[in-house]
Amino acid sequence: KLEPFVSINNVDYARDNYTNVTPKILSYLGRNLHREKYHPISFVKRRIENYFYKNFIGRRGNPMFSMHDNLNPVVSVESNFDNLLIPADHVSRQKGDCYYINKNYLLRAHTTAHQFDLIKMGLDHFIVTGDVYRRDEIDSTHFPVFHQSDAVRLFTREQLAAVAGHEIEPFELNGIENEEKQAQHTLEASKLIEKELKSTLLSLIFNIFGGEMPHRWVDVYFPFTHPSWELEIEHNGTWMEVLGCGVMRQDIIKRAGAGDRICWAFGMGLERLAMHLYKIPDIRLFWSKDSGFLSQFNVDDPNVNITYKPVSVYPQLTNDLSFWLPVDREYCSNDFYDLVRDIGGNIVEQINLVDEFRHPKTGKVSHCYRIVYRHMEKTLTQEEVNEVHFKLRQAVVDVLNGAVR
Ligand code: PHE
């Protein structure tokens, strides 16, 4: 028997004939991969944020863009669709495509859902990152939950002039819409925004990937921007779409109370970027809690180059090894790591120093290492691991002059 309410973060939403969220989908709400310290999704988020922190600096040396990564993924139908001029009969609103909580609320289908509200609050430059939800098949490139970063930059008349290098008129009365511009915009202003948007995005993408790469702009349609484009980059021999963008519909900005400004916006998918950046072959891996996956991203600097190494589907076996470090020669943990790789080869998945102890009287130091063994093609038995582990103990004595405890 279904409860009459769906409860999310201590708020009860009445069920109705729109309700199609499932407990499984709701279980993803707290994961926040984009805010996890050691995770490829949060690394991509931080690369984007750092790019804007570094390249867009306000008058007083302050960051120009504000960053928002903790907004509630439960949004109203107005926020997700109406305020963005998405028509009532648009396909993207269908129950078959979205996770509705009831007829008034849904799990956001894009982070663009926050743009109107943030502009209305008075923000001129901001980036929103969050988890988004779309009903979809599940395969190596599709998962019903993924992450996006959306950005908005509003230009006052003065800011536009500063970018152009001379005064330019943003608006015209009685203009007409064509492929290049909206009715309210002058062609000159629209072209300038397009140029500024595209150069910002290319510079951002090249910065994230550490260099230039083959790319192309594709003309597309979004209800909330015009003109609109997608940027595609080459990935595994085909073109992969990484972001959508455009000149924000002036009607939206006007309704949000900033009609004297002209604006660009973009939204990009973090999984796509992360898969390309780290060579992660399957979108489902981002949800892995397997330390074989997560430990590969255990670095403090989000700019570190990492190439993902496939993780075995077979179980791990964990063995510890403690020994007194040699006193008669230099020792560093890398000596041990090399030794383990020599002896254990491919069945060693991880090695971590888990404990360090200095004897209060003798001053001798002992290290305890945890070694995770795992085979790519079969389940290892404890006997097989024991054999390797025993050789390792012997080598610690023979090669490193350690005293196994
Ligand atoms: N919201 C769009 C999407 O999810 C991307 C987008 C954002 C396009 C902002 C234009 C402007 O595909």
Side-chain angles (χ1 to χ4, degrees):
K1 175 100 177 65
L2 286 176
E3 297 281 331
F5 296 100
V6 182
S7 184
I8 304 172
N9 293 328
N10 294 322
V11 181
D12 287 341
Y13 300 86
R15 277 182 191 278
D16 61 22
N17 60 355
Y18 263 76
T19 309
N20 65 359
V21 282
T22 61
K24 179 73 191 161
I25 285 297
L26 290 174
S27 76
Y28 293 111
L29 248 59
R31 277 299 286 283
N32 291 321
L33 301 182
H34 59 294
R35 295 198 298 130
E36 222 159 81
K37 185 155 184 223
Y38 302 112
H39 198 280
I41 296 297
S42 75
F43 289 168
V44 172
K45 181 198 84 153
R46 285 166 63 197
R47 286 188 189 209
I48 296 168
E49 291 181 347
N50 288 341
Y51 175 83
F52 281 91
Y53 279 141
K54 191 158 162 239
N55 294 285
F56 292 89
I57 293 160
R59 263 183 303 128
R60 297 178 308 277
N62 53 309
M64 192 163 134
F65 281 78
S66 56
M67 308 301 175
H68 309 263
D69 67 2
N70 201 10
L71 298 174
N72 192 349
V74 177
V75 299
S76 65
V77 167
E78 288 78 41
S79 296
N80 200 81
F81 301 115
D82 300 331
N83 294 343
L84 295 170
L85 309 177
I86 298 174
D89 57 356
H90 198 267
V91 286
S92 67
R93 296 199 188 222
Q94 287 172 11
K95 276 171 73 178
D97 282 337
C98 301
Y99 286 104
Y100 280 95
I101 296 157
N102 58 32
K103 67 179 191 314
N104 300 317
Y105 292 94
L106 70 159
L107 299 179
R108 65 187 162 210
H110 52 181
T111 39
T112 319
H114 299 286
Q115 289 193 356
F116 183 89
D117 295 326
L118 293 178
I119 294 173
K120 200 165 177 184
M121 286 167 75
L123 298 186
D124 286 327
H125 318 89
F126 57 86
I127 295 181
V128 178
T129 301
D131 38 341
V132 301
Y133 297 78
R134 294 185 198 171
R135 297 183 75 183
D136 210 340
E137 63 200 323
I138 298 184
D139 63 25
S140 65
T141 55
H142 296 89
F143 197 74
V145 192
F146 57 102
H147 297 78
Q148 290 185 321
S149 284
D150 258 70
V152 163
R153 181 177 183 189
L154 293 166
F155 295 79
T156 60
R157 199 175 278 268
E158 294 71 38
Q159 285 162 337
L160 204 59
V163 175
H166 55 88
E167 283 294 318
I168 88 167
E169 178 52 52
F171 304 112
E172 67 184 11
L173 287 172
N174 312 319
I176 46 154
E177 178 159 322
N178 60 33
E179 272 170 27
E180 293 176 302
K181 70 173 206 73
Q182 297 171 36
Q184 296 101 313
H185 295 154
T186 63
L187 183 61
E188 193 186 9
S190 189
K191 282 284 173 201
L192 184 70
I193 296 291
E194 171 180 348
K195 193 167 146 229
E196 210 279 334
L197 169 62
K198 286 181 172 173
S199 68
T200 297
L201 283 170
L202 280 185
S203 164
L204 167 66
I205 294 294
F206 293 163
N207 188 278
I208 291 175
F209 289 109
E212 300 205 3
M213 63 216 299
H215 64 273
R216 66 179 189 189
W217 293 102
V218 181
D219 291 324
V220 291
Y221 170 81
F222 296 113
F224 33 93
T225 49
H226 182 76
S228 311
W229 305 274
E230 275 172 3
L231 178 63
E232 298 184 341
I233 61 173
E234 220 175 74
H235 177 69
N236 295 342
T238 56
W239 291 106
M240 173 174 79
E241 177 226 321
V242 290
L243 64 88
C245 67
V247 182
M248 181 100 94
R249 281 279 173 197
Q250 200 61 30
D251 289 337
I252 299 176
I253 313 174
K254 203 191 273 172
R255 282 193 218 171
D260 58 332
R261 282 139 213 239
I262 178 167
C263 162
W264 61 236
F266 70 77
M268 55 177 67
L270 303 191
E271 275 77 357
R272 293 269 177 94
L273 295 173
M275 287 171 86
H276 189 75
L277 190 56
Y278 300 113
K279 304 207 166 41
I280 294 173
D282 192 310
I283 197 167
R284 290 166 287 202
L285 283 165
F286 293 113
W287 300 93
S288 172
K289 292 177 180 169
D290 189 312
S291 65
F293 175 80
L294 291 172
S295 66
Q296 297 188 33
F297 300 94
N298 215 341
V299 296
D300 286 318
D301 177 359
N303 296 316
V304 169
N305 285 326
I306 295 166
T307 301
Y308 168 73
K309 290 185 237 41
V311 176
S312 169
V313 296
Y314 298 95
Q316 300 173 329
L317 276 179
T318 302
N319 284 33
D320 288 352
L321 190 84
S322 300
F323 56 93
W324 295 106
L325 306 191
V327 282
D328 53 347
R329 63 157 97 167
E330 269 185 78
Y331 170 85
C332 65
S333 289
N334 284 335
D335 298 335
F336 180 70
Y337 299 153
D338 284 334
L339 191 66
V340 181
R341 302 270 176 224
D342 272 354
I343 290 169
N346 290 336
I347 70 164
V348 175
E349 186 186 81
Q350 300 167 55
I351 318 163
N352 291 303
L353 175 61
V354 290
D355 190 42
E356 188 169 28
F357 168 75
R358 182 180 295 275
H359 194 283
K361 297 235 172 65
T362 65
K364 286 207 290 185
V365 179
S366 152
H367 278 184
C368 176
Y369 294 94
R370 182 153 296 159
I371 302 159
V372 179
Y373 295 93
R374 173 142 74 168
H375 200 284
M376 287 305 287
E377 280 122 31
K378 62 172 190 181
T379 300
L380 284 175
T381 63
Q382 189 61 57
E383 290 74 58
E384 289 170 297
V385 170
N386 285 350
E387 205 177 301
V388 174
H389 207 67
F390 184 78
K391 277 191 201 151
L392 188 59
R393 289 168 66 99
Q394 200 54 49
V396 165
V397 177
D398 297 344
V399 182
L400 299 181
N401 254 9
V404 175
R405 298 178 64 186

